[in-house]
PDB file of all heavy atoms in Angstrom:
ATOM      1  N   THR A   9     -17.413 -11.796 -28.520  1.00 37.00           N
ATOM      2  CA  THR A   9     -18.292 -11.268 -29.530  1.00 37.00           C
ATOM      3  C   THR A   9     -19.364 -10.349 -28.991  1.00 37.00           C
ATOM      4  O   THR A   9     -20.174  -9.853 -29.718  1.00 37.00           O
ATOM      5  CB  THR A   9     -18.971 -12.447 -30.263  1.00 37.00           C
ATOM      6  OG1 THR A   9     -19.669 -13.249 -29.287  1.00 37.00           O
ATOM      7  CG2 THR A   9     -17.955 -13.316 -30.956  1.00 37.00           C
ATOM      8  N   GLU A  15     -24.021  -6.866 -22.410  1.00 38.00           N
ATOM      9  CA  GLU A  15     -24.668  -8.106 -22.853  1.00 38.00           C
ATOM     10  C   GLU A  15     -24.347  -9.255 -21.900  1.00 38.00           C
ATOM     11  O   GLU A  15     -23.447  -9.180 -21.059  1.00 38.00           O
ATOM     12  CB  GLU A  15     -24.153  -8.491 -24.251  1.00 38.00           C
ATOM     13  CG  GLU A  15     -24.486  -7.433 -25.309  1.00 38.00           C
ATOM     14  CD  GLU A  15     -25.955  -7.268 -25.563  1.00 38.00           C
ATOM     15  OE1 GLU A  15     -26.705  -8.205 -25.229  1.00 38.00           O
ATOM     16  OE2 GLU A  15     -26.368  -6.161 -25.979  1.00 38.00           O
ATOM     17  N   TRP A  31     -33.752 -10.766 -11.289  1.00 64.00           N
ATOM     18  CA  TRP A  31     -33.799  -9.374 -10.832  1.00 64.00           C
ATOM     19  C   TRP A  31     -32.423  -8.732 -10.858  1.00 64.00           C
ATOM     20  O   TRP A  31     -32.288  -7.486 -10.940  1.00 64.00           O
ATOM     21  CB  TRP A  31     -34.376  -9.256  -9.424  1.00 64.00           C
ATOM     22  CG  TRP A  31     -33.549  -9.994  -8.393  1.00 64.00           C
ATOM     23  CD1 TRP A  31     -33.652 -11.276  -8.002  1.00 64.00           C
ATOM     24  CD2 TRP A  31     -32.468  -9.423  -7.661  1.00 64.00           C
ATOM     25  NE1 TRP A  31     -32.717 -11.558  -7.056  1.00 64.00           N
ATOM     26  CE2 TRP A  31     -31.954 -10.447  -6.842  1.00 64.00           C
ATOM     27  CE3 TRP A  31     -31.879  -8.159  -7.594  1.00 64.00           C
ATOM     28  CZ2 TRP A  31     -30.914 -10.288  -5.948  1.00 64.00           C
ATOM     29  CZ3 TRP A  31     -30.794  -7.959  -6.753  1.00 64.00           C
ATOM     30  CH2 TRP A  31     -30.358  -8.992  -5.906  1.00 64.00           C
ATOM     31  N   VAL A  92      11.694  14.986   1.333  1.00 93.00           N
ATOM     32  CA  VAL A  92      10.346  15.271   0.809  1.00 93.00           C
ATOM     33  C   VAL A  92       9.987  14.134  -0.135  1.00 93.00           C
ATOM     34  O   VAL A  92      10.628  13.957  -1.186  1.00 93.00           O
ATOM     35  CB  VAL A  92      10.292  16.642   0.065  1.00 93.00           C
ATOM     36  CG1 VAL A  92       8.938  16.799  -0.581  1.00 93.00           C
ATOM     37  CG2 VAL A  92      10.559  17.741   1.059  1.00 93.00           C
ATOM     38  N   LEU A  93       9.009  13.371   0.213  1.00 93.00           N
ATOM     39  CA  LEU A  93       8.512  12.285  -0.647  1.00 93.00           C
ATOM     40  C   LEU A  93       7.517  12.753  -1.667  1.00 93.00           C
ATOM     41  O   LEU A  93       7.030  13.923  -1.564  1.00 93.00           O
ATOM     42  CB  LEU A  93       7.854  11.210   0.272  1.00 93.00           C
ATOM     43  CG  LEU A  93       8.689  10.581   1.388  1.00 93.00           C
ATOM     44  CD1 LEU A  93       7.849   9.651   2.226  1.00 93.00           C
ATOM     45  CD2 LEU A  93       9.919   9.875   0.782  1.00 93.00           C
ATOM     46  N   SER A 126      -9.507   3.568  -0.116  1.00 98.00           N
ATOM     47  CA  SER A 126      -9.254   2.138  -0.223  1.00 98.00           C
ATOM     48  C   SER A 126     -10.434   1.379  -0.758  1.00 98.00           C
ATOM     49  O   SER A 126     -10.252   0.400  -1.516  1.00 98.00           O
ATOM     50  CB  SER A 126      -8.896   1.609   1.199  1.00 98.00           C
ATOM     51  OG  SER A 126      -8.649   0.216   1.182  1.00 98.00           O
ATOM     52  N   PHE A 433       0.438 -13.952  10.065  1.00 98.00           N
ATOM     53  CA  PHE A 433      -0.930 -14.404  10.186  1.00 98.00           C
ATOM     54  C   PHE A 433      -1.054 -15.856   9.727  1.00 98.00           C
ATOM     55  O   PHE A 433      -1.647 -16.725  10.400  1.00 98.00           O
ATOM     56  CB  PHE A 433      -1.895 -13.514   9.379  1.00 98.00           C
ATOM     57  CG  PHE A 433      -3.245 -14.128   9.119  1.00 98.00           C
ATOM     58  CD1 PHE A 433      -4.094 -14.395  10.151  1.00 98.00           C
ATOM     59  CD2 PHE A 433      -3.612 -14.459   7.792  1.00 98.00           C
ATOM     60  CE1 PHE A 433      -5.357 -15.005   9.899  1.00 98.00           C
ATOM     61  CE2 PHE A 433      -4.820 -15.046   7.563  1.00 98.00           C
ATOM     62  CZ  PHE A 433      -5.710 -15.332   8.602  1.00 98.00           C
ATOM     63  N   ARG A 465     -13.752 -24.549  -6.445  1.00 93.00           N
ATOM     64  CA  ARG A 465     -14.014 -24.276  -7.867  1.00 93.00           C
ATOM     65  C   ARG A 465     -14.183 -25.592  -8.654  1.00 93.00           C
ATOM     66  O   ARG A 465     -15.085 -25.720  -9.523  1.00 93.00           O
ATOM     67  CB  ARG A 465     -12.887 -23.442  -8.460  1.00 93.00           C
ATOM     68  CG  ARG A 465     -12.859 -23.396  -9.967  1.00 93.00           C
ATOM     69  CD  ARG A 465     -14.117 -22.753 -10.532  1.00 93.00           C
ATOM     70  NE  ARG A 465     -14.127 -22.832 -11.994  1.00 93.00           N
ATOM     71  CZ  ARG A 465     -14.683 -23.828 -12.691  1.00 93.00           C
ATOM     72  NH1 ARG A 465     -15.188 -24.890 -12.039  1.00 93.00           N
ATOM     73  NH2 ARG A 465     -14.641 -23.850 -13.974  1.00 93.00           N
ATOM     74  N   ALA A 485     -13.749 -14.260   0.474  1.00 97.00           N
ATOM     75  CA  ALA A 485     -14.133 -13.097   1.255  1.00 97.00           C
ATOM     76  C   ALA A 485     -14.118 -13.360   2.780  1.00 97.00           C
ATOM     77  O   ALA A 485     -13.668 -12.554   3.543  1.00 97.00           O
ATOM     78  CB  ALA A 485     -15.510 -12.614   0.783  1.00 97.00           C
TER      79      ALA A 485
END
Side-chain angles (χ1 to χ4, degrees):
T9 57
E15 300 295 337
W31 62 269
V92 174
L93 302 176
S126 179
F433 163 66
R465 167 60 187 90

